[in-house]
Amino acid sequence: MISGLRDRILPAAQCRSMYDLVQDLDLSAGDATAKRSAFWTMLTLSSVIAAGGVITDSTATVIGAMIIAPLSTPIMGIALGSVQRQRTGAGLYVLFGCLLVVGIGTAFSAVLPQNYDLLSNSQISGRTSPGLLDLVSALATGLAGAVALGRRDVAAVLPGVAIAISLVPPLVVTGVCLGHLAWWLALGALVLFLSNLFALVFAGMVIFAALGYRSGITEPIRHSARRTYIALALLFAAVFVPLAANTAFALLLNTWTARVKVAAEQWLSADPGASVTSVDVVSRTIYVHVRTPGDLPPLNTLLSDLEGQVPDGIPIVVDATRGRRIDAGRVGDKDGQSGSLPAGTVGSQLDPGGS
């Protein structure tokens, strides 16, 4: 059954030869000088384009950088070398390529003001909090890319794979966050890149082994396969643990925001014209956005209703109509005071966002 499924997905008549695959993925094979020159040139240019897209929050620019970024070539070279049990030096290209991209991102961060809110940039905020679904999507994308490399008739899907498997943009975001000393945001972006790296290597190994490319081994290196599998297992653990933790935390946040919305609606229930428009979390602070034609009920009542619903110590901010943003205090803080503040400002108790 398994072999039949493999023949349907990877028909022998459409499989590329070992020679063609090695020429595409091994930067030391054939005209190595030209390959290396093209790799470093395109990686540098794609990094600059991605950095510009991230800084200006331009999705189209970032997509353009994804399409021309060549970093997936040595990553798939790692997978092919692992299946063949041969050293190709692909790992060094990936390592130094990552350092180059992060360095360019750090350099570009200098154009941003020091008080810039990184989380207000969708290109940054969307890449600093990965979850398990990102790993699942990356695995599916990696399998699609490996199949496209192994088959002659589906190579046209590779640009789509390059867009879906984000490699250079997370590294650029890592550099930008490092330039602003936002360590946790940088770590989140790095974990996203590592999850995509693992997905590509794992998927490539599965597909290349299924295609029988390991049968072409001429001089296998002893114990190299075992070291590869151990390294792959360690990388999976390093990626899976933070992704699982972040996913669990995201689920908790969803639960807390739902509870806050219910409590806020009950808090405003005495005013038939009042409503809760939304509840969101920014940098460990919960914002309750409300619309009301009159005065707000006592804020201490809202804080009391939230006790036991969300953890104590979380700051609550009520974003009301008529240009007011009110620091309600912290949940469980009996001494918390509330008052109206000018629009666009928050109380001194709040945690600064974006770092």
Side-chain angles (χ1 to χ4, degrees):
M1 179 178 178
I2 295 177
S3 60
L5 180 62
R6 182 190 64 187
D7 292 338
R8 288 179 178 273
I9 298 176
L10 304 166
Q14 294 296 336
C15 289
R16 301 177 66 199
S17 67
M18 172 74 76
Y19 175 81
D20 291 338
L21 198 61
V22 169
Q23 290 298 312
D24 284 349
L25 300 181
D26 189 352
L27 296 178
S28 62
D31 190 351
T33 301
K35 288 183 179 180
R36 293 166 184 168
S37 173
F39 173 79
W40 292 114
T41 300
M42 296 307 295
L43 182 60
T44 301
L45 292 175
S46 65
S47 302
V48 172
I49 295 171
V54 167
I55 296 297
T56 60
D57 200 358
S58 172
T59 301
T61 305
V62 173
I63 291 176
M66 292 179 185
I67 294 176
I68 68 171
L71 198 55
S72 61
T73 297
I75 292 177
M76 280 299 190
I78 294 175
L80 182 61
S82 299
V83 170
Q84 292 184 299
R85 301 182 187 178
Q86 293 180 349
R87 292 193 181 96
T88 61
L92 291 177
Y93 285 101
V94 174
L95 175 61
F96 288 112
C98 290
L99 293 177
L100 171 65
V101 179
V102 171
I104 290 175
T106 303
F108 267 74
S109 70
V111 306
L112 295 176
Q114 286 301 315
N115 61 348
Y116 181 79
D117 184 3
L118 295 175
L119 291 178
S120 67
N121 186 319
S122 64
Q123 299 301 322
I124 295 177
S125 61
R127 293 182 171 88
T128 54
S129 185
L132 285 177
L133 285 180
D134 292 291
L135 180 59
V136 173
S137 299
L139 283 171
T141 307
L143 288 170
V147 170
L149 284 171
R151 291 183 55 159
R152 298 189 185 94
D153 56 340
V154 291
V157 308
L158 284 176
V161 172
I163 295 173
I165 195 79
S166 186
L167 295 172
V168 167
L171 290 174
V172 167
V173 171
T174 300
V176 172
C177 294
L178 288 177
H180 276 253
L181 305 182
W183 309 113
W184 282 109
L185 296 182
L187 180 61
L190 182 61
V191 169
L192 176 60
F193 168 77
L194 290 177
S195 66
N196 292 340
L197 170 66
F198 165 80
L200 280 176
V201 173
F202 177 78
M205 291 177 65
V206 170
I207 297 300
F208 296 154
L211 288 171
Y213 289 131
R214 57 186 173 185
S215 61
I217 300 173
T218 55
E219 296 180 2
I221 300 175
R222 180 173 294 182
H223 304 309
S224 62
R226 180 180 300 176
R227 288 196 296 269
T228 300
Y229 297 144
I230 292 175
L232 201 60
L234 291 176
L235 179 60
F236 175 77
V239 167
F240 180 83
V241 171
L243 289 181
N246 197 57
T247 301
F249 184 66
L251 293 175
L252 282 177
L253 284 182
N254 290 336
T255 301
W256 293 342
T257 53
R259 291 176 178 176
V260 170
K261 186 174 183 179
V262 171
E265 289 174 344
Q266 294 176 348
W267 174 60
L268 296 174
S269 60
D271 187 348
S275 63
V276 179
T277 57
S278 64
V279 177
D280 53 45
V281 180
V282 179
S283 189
R284 302 177 294 278
T285 298
I286 297 180
Y287 289 82
V288 183
H289 304 274
V290 303
R291 181 182 295 114
T292 176
D295 294 331
L296 291 172
L299 295 172
N300 287 335
T301 303
L302 175 61
L303 291 178
S304 298
D305 292 343
L306 290 176
E307 291 186 21
Q309 300 298 312
V310 298
D312 289 346
I314 291 183
I316 303 295
V317 173
V318 177
D319 194 353
T321 55
R322 296 182 297 176
R324 290 187 301 161
R325 178 170 287 184
I326 306 169
D327 176 6
R330 295 175 181 266
V331 177
D333 185 359
K334 302 300 182 182
D335 299 327
Q337 300 295 324
S338 62
S340 297
L341 299 172
T345 64
V346 295
S348 59
Q349 297 181 34
L350 299 185
D351 212 13
S355 60

